[in-house]
Amino acid sequence: MPSSPGALFQLLRDGVPRTKADLAAETGFARSTIATRVEELLASELVTPAGESTSTGGRPPATFAFNPAARCVLAVDLGGTHARIAVTNLSSEVLAEDEQELAIALGPATVLDAVCATGERLLAQTGMGHEQLIGIGIGLPGPVEFATGRPVSPPIMPGWDGFDVPGYLRQTFDVPILVDNDVNAMALGEHHLIYPDVANMMFVKIGTGIGAGIISDAQLQHGAQGAAGDLGHVAVPDGDQTPCTCGNRGCLEAVASGPAIAAYLRSQGVEVPNLSALLQLVRDGHPEAIQATRGAGRQVGAVLASCVNLLNPSVIVIGGLVSTAGEHFLAGIRETVYSRSLPLATQHLRILGTLTSGRAGMLGASALVTAHALSAEHVNLLLAGTSAVGQRS
């Protein structure tokens, strides 16, 4: 497949306009092959004319570039109580979006029906139809077997275990559908939008639960069954015996998640009815709330220190609701990571709050699709008129 149109397209995905001579020089393909492949890509609209290059004598040569407006993606970020849904172009730029309250506990049929209805409305709003839709990406707040797109024993998702999410959505949208857990999607979104040049990073979400997405050598890591990054069920180093929902004791999620911090404060006589109330106490300068939040940050940092020694990321991004408590939580994480990790591993390490304002999961879901659908293999299928519609590979 080295001289295929899909292979040539990979060069053009960076958006830099090139002439046919440029493409021939970069690929080593014959001029006649380049001309044929460019015409195929122009016909698909994945590539578009981009003006004329500077002339070195005679008529200036035409240039060509990636056209992100050629198709669109439906990107879905589902949380425990919310849904963020967007139509994006092929560069993951949002064309239309919607955010709504939607409890994941309502079950797969109710939630996915709402996703389909919103998706149809947003497509109509952008003037796009099903024929322009290249795929759907969806992030779920629980473990997902990436190869099948099915949730596996998700603790806060009653009725979702083993549910065929791609199959259900395909009844409405007959396109490739990729499903991943929400933290992996957030890691992709933060990497794509904020840190595209960082090859090794982690995204850690701390809210109702705790999880991590791992980017290594610029690739999202799923592990053998898609369970990589399940940070919340790593035992904290201090031997805490707090029971966890997974059946074990002393898991990070049981001692440092939002509900865990709130439960600890209630045991100390502080009125904390929910996570929002906890965050407000911290913002208001409540000393016990600040102390508990910073202590939870230290617990997270103790587990992350092992991850830093093992994976050696250059950036760790902290997201999720608890991260909005401000610098107190981040300070606790940094304090422990830098004191417990090897000096070489922390020499250039940055630990930062998320910069995507809650949109990382949605943008990552879009990037998940474009990485799949715009691969050389799938571009070749698209141009051959045998697009892998309704299939993941």
Side-chain angles (χ1 to χ4, degrees):
M1 196 167 54
S3 63
S4 69
L8 186 66
F9 176 71
Q10 303 311 305
L11 283 178
L12 292 161
R13 280 191 64 185
D14 61 7
V16 176
R18 291 173 172 85
T19 65
K20 291 178 183 178
D22 293 333
L23 293 169
E26 288 188 57
T27 63
F29 298 171
R31 291 288 187 99
S32 58
T33 301
I34 291 292
T36 300
R37 298 312 185 211
V38 166
E39 288 306 315
E40 291 176 284
L41 290 168
L42 287 170
S44 74
E45 299 182 347
L46 290 173
V47 167
T48 189
E52 295 179 337
S53 180
T54 303
S55 175
T56 57
R59 183 178 177 181
T63 64
F64 309 92
F66 173 42
N67 176 24
R71 303 285 193 282
C72 66
V73 174
L74 183 60
V76 183
D77 172 30
L78 295 178
T81 58
H82 76 269
R84 294 186 182 92
I85 304 169
V87 173
T88 75
N89 67 12
L90 298 181
S91 292
S92 297
E93 295 172 347
V94 174
L95 306 177
E97 65 183 301
D98 177 273
E99 183 173 351
Q100 57 189 267
E101 291 185 5
L102 186 62
I104 202 77
L106 291 172
T110 300
V111 171
L112 296 178
D113 283 347
V115 167
C116 288
T118 303
E120 294 278 26
R121 176 169 55 81
L122 293 177
L123 282 171
Q125 186 177 326
T126 61
M128 296 283 194
H130 284 220
E131 62 276 8
Q132 279 86 40
L133 186 65
I134 205 167
I136 298 174
I138 179 166
L140 295 177
V144 174
E145 185 180 55
F146 184 68
T148 64
R150 294 173 183 259
V152 180
S153 302
I156 64 167
M157 300 171 62
W160 288 80
D161 184 29
F163 189 82
D164 185 6
V165 175
Y168 192 89
L169 290 173
R170 207 169 286 127
Q171 296 175 58
T172 303
F173 299 104
D174 194 15
V175 294
I177 296 166
L178 286 89
V179 185
D180 210 335
N181 74 62
D182 57 347
V183 189
N184 279 346
M186 290 175 182
L188 270 180
E190 198 86 18
H191 183 257
H192 180 78
L193 192 69
I194 308 296
Y195 303 103
D197 298 324
V198 173
N200 299 282
M201 64 173 280
M202 292 180 66
F203 184 99
V204 182
K205 177 191 175 187
I206 301 157
T208 304
I210 297 176
I214 302 166
I215 305 285
S216 180
D217 288 336
Q219 299 296 317
L220 179 66
Q221 302 300 312
H222 287 98
Q225 271 74 48
D230 198 351
L231 203 67
H233 299 288
V234 174
V236 294
D238 65 4
D240 189 292
Q241 293 300 299
T242 304
C244 182
T245 54
C246 73
N248 290 320
R249 291 179 176 271
C251 293
L252 183 62
E253 191 170 295
V255 301
S257 65
I261 301 169
Y264 170 77
L265 286 170
R266 286 194 294 270
S267 74
Q268 302 302 303
V270 181
E271 186 178 347
V272 191
N274 51 45
L275 185 51
S276 296
L278 165 64
L279 297 174
Q280 192 58 52
L281 285 174
V282 174
R283 294 184 190 116
D284 291 343
H286 190 286
E288 287 89 350
I290 290 174
Q291 185 177 13
T293 300
R294 187 160 185 149
R298 293 190 190 101
Q299 298 275 39
V300 173
V303 171
L304 281 177
S306 297
C307 298
V308 168
N309 288 334
L310 184 66
L311 300 172
N312 192 203
S314 54
V315 174
I316 298 177
V317 179
I318 309 297
L321 271 177
V322 175
S323 73
T324 64
E327 282 296 311
H328 301 291
F329 191 71
L330 280 172
I333 294 174
R334 291 178 182 130
E335 176 186 334
T336 313
V337 168
Y338 288 120
S339 65
R340 293 197 182 189
S341 301
L342 294 171
L344 181 60
T346 58
Q347 187 175 9
H348 301 294
L349 175 65
R350 292 177 288 164
I351 302 174
L352 309 162
T354 177
L355 296 175
T356 52
S357 303
R359 301 174 91 200
M362 188 174 69
L363 297 171
S366 173
L368 190 68
V369 172
T370 55
H372 171 83
L374 298 182
S375 67
E377 176 189 1
H378 286 89
V379 169
N380 288 337
L381 289 170
L382 178 68
L383 269 58
T386 56
S387 169
V389 172
Q391 299 180 26
R392 292 174 52 83
S393 59

